Amino acid sequence: MDSTSGFGELTELDRVELHMLYGACVADIELSTRQQWWAGAYALAIYAMLLAGVQQFDDAVRAGNWHAWGLVAMTWAVCLYGVLAIRRMQKAITIGRRRLDRVRSSFGRPFQEVWAMPRPKEDIHRVLYCVMGFGAVLVTWMALDKAYAALPPLG
């Protein structure tokens, strides 16, 4: 193997440690990616429960519409927390990728040549942001539409 770092030839211990570090970084990235998907799925499940709550509105509850506004507040709290969680996990993924790049720089020329091939940009977190926002808008719209739909006209 033709791997040398900027500090000279790698020892066998260096190779073992790099291998362990590479595996740990990949596992961290995989966990953070999975957690991003879980956050999106949990938010959608909560949105579904909030929509079920919207369907429970009746004429007696509409007095003041505070129930609708409570559901709207919960919806946007879930959205904000979900977006922040996905963002935090995306930062962990970015850090993990930087670590992998540093580890890969110690690998040999054949690996470097293969790794240098272009690959598509991974930005699924943006899709999850959109899902969070769209879900929150949908729940808000349905809650307020249901709450204000059957109110008697003013005047």
Side-chain angles (χ1 to χ4, degrees):
M1 182 182 218
D2 180 19
S3 21
T4 58
S5 66
F7 303 106
E9 187 66 32
L10 294 176
T11 67
E12 189 58 35
L13 178 60
D14 293 336
R15 293 174 200 270
V16 170
E17 288 174 345
L18 283 173
H19 183 64
M20 288 180 359
L21 180 60
Y22 191 87
C25 289
V26 169
D28 288 347
I29 291 171
E30 182 182 17
L31 176 62
S32 293
T33 303
R34 224 175 318 139
Q35 286 175 332
Q36 282 184 327
W37 282 101
W38 290 341
Y42 289 145
L44 290 177
I46 293 169
Y47 290 161
M49 288 186 283
L50 291 170
L51 283 174
V54 167
Q55 296 306 315
Q56 301 303 311
F57 287 172
D58 60 6
D59 291 334
V61 172
R62 287 199 189 99
N65 295 310
W66 65 272
H67 287 87
W69 286 106
L71 286 174
V72 168
M74 285 188 276
T75 299
W76 286 99
V78 167
C79 181
L80 178 64
Y81 183 76
V83 166
L84 292 175
I86 290 170
R87 184 174 180 207
R88 186 180 66 238
M89 290 173 230
Q90 187 60 35
K91 284 182 182 180
I93 290 169
T94 301
I95 290 168
R97 287 182 178 153
R98 286 183 191 148
R99 287 179 180 159
L100 283 177
D101 288 342
R102 298 272 312 263
V103 170
R104 288 183 195 119
S105 69
S106 299
F107 291 174
R109 190 173 350 123
F111 180 90
Q112 298 292 342
E113 289 172 1
V114 172
W115 191 256
M117 296 174 70
R119 44 182 193 183
K121 186 175 181 178
E122 298 173 23
D123 56 357
I124 195 67
H125 61 285
R126 291 189 176 105
V127 172
L128 293 172
Y129 292 150
C130 290
V131 167
M132 293 280 187
F134 180 73
V137 167
L138 181 66
V139 173
T140 299
W141 173 65
M142 292 183 76
L144 296 179
D145 183 59
K146 178 90 176 201
Y148 289 99
L151 287 177
L154 295 174

